Amino acid sequence: MTNRYLWTVATTAMLVAAMATSGSSQWLGHAQPGIPHGADGKPKLDAPTPRTADGRPALSGVWQSRRDAPGAAGGIEGIIAPRYMVNLMIDMPAPDTLMRPAAAVTYKARGDNLYRDNPSIQCLPLGVPRLDAYTHPYKIVQTPGLVVILYESQTLFRQIFTDGRPLPTDPQPAWLGYSVGRWDGDTLVVSTAGFTDQTWLDGSGHPHSEVMKLTERFRRRDVGHMDIEITIDDPTMYTRPLTYTQAQELLPDGELIEYVCNENSQANLPHLRPKP
């Protein structure tokens, strides 16, 4: 079985499981407050970054990971995946040298099994950082002391405490971990730990352990564009920290919709069969 075919299967599994996209958002045409518009009535997405009353960049809004140009990350039937949804190592030199033996064995086993254990296919939570590069939109609600992220994917939520508290010392493993944030100039730096090891880092099956520590740096460049620089530090699985940046785009006139997925759904699995 060729690597090209395995890549196609991984991409197919990811995109079939992610069919609900921003095009299904509700309240289309109802602009989010605080977004400037030009004389033509269109949102000025290149306008300066909005700020809160205390001068911090305002991250609130409905966002989605940016789709790449054709061929950048692979796609099927004209559907283009966000840059790092399928493979977070796509731009890293010598990616095979980055995985320790335990990671390499798990990664190969998931491919050999045609990605049937992909949490997204089984309607299980995707976790982070995978949600940073997923196709479904999400909503950031920024308040003093707390930033909340509402994910359309499986109607998940995440709390990022910015009130100065430390990370818990012995947390019960969680799908999205436990997050605290601080400001470094105009960048919100989010530290997350306390993960279950049941989530995948991307659609091709890169694994992580429960000792993984995640750092996300949210930087809103202007009204319509934000970057999330992601660093995965998991010495159990990788020889060094993995860093990449997933671009995000604002959805200025849409809202999230409810997303419900039945656990252990088998509907997609018959389509994942070895090529004759």
Side-chain angles (χ1 to χ4, degrees), residues 180-249:
V180 298
R182 62 177 178 82
W183 287 97
D184 179 10
D186 284 347
T187 300
L188 178 65
V189 181
V190 178
S191 301
T192 306
F195 293 101
T196 174
D197 62 2
Q198 297 182 57
T199 60
W200 294 14
L201 294 177
D202 55 22
S204 64
H206 284 105
H208 68 85
S209 72
E210 291 188 352
V211 306
M212 177 178 74
K213 290 182 172 57
L214 179 69
T215 302
E216 297 157 290
R217 299 178 65 89
F218 291 75
R219 184 176 71 89
R220 189 171 187 174
R221 293 186 278 118
D222 53 28
V223 165
H225 305 90
M226 179 171 68
D227 291 330
I228 305 178
E229 182 188 271
I230 300 158
T231 298
I232 298 163
D233 188 0
D234 187 349
T236 300
M237 292 291 184
Y238 299 100
T239 58
R240 64 170 175 82
L242 310 176
T243 298
Y244 58 99
T245 300
Q246 175 63 58
Q248 313 289 317
E249 295 179 329

Side-chain angles (χ1 to χ4, degrees), residues 5 12 16 61 79 100 117 123 125-126 133 135 143 154 163 169 206 209 234 240 250 255 259 276:
Y5 177 65
T12 302
V16 167
I79 301 173
R100 296 193 185 278
D117 296 327
C123 297
L126 296 182
T135 52
T143 71
Q154 301 179 21
D163 56 4
T169 56
H206 284 105
S209 72
D234 187 349
R240 64 170 175 82
L250 184 74
E255 274 293 352
Y259 180 103

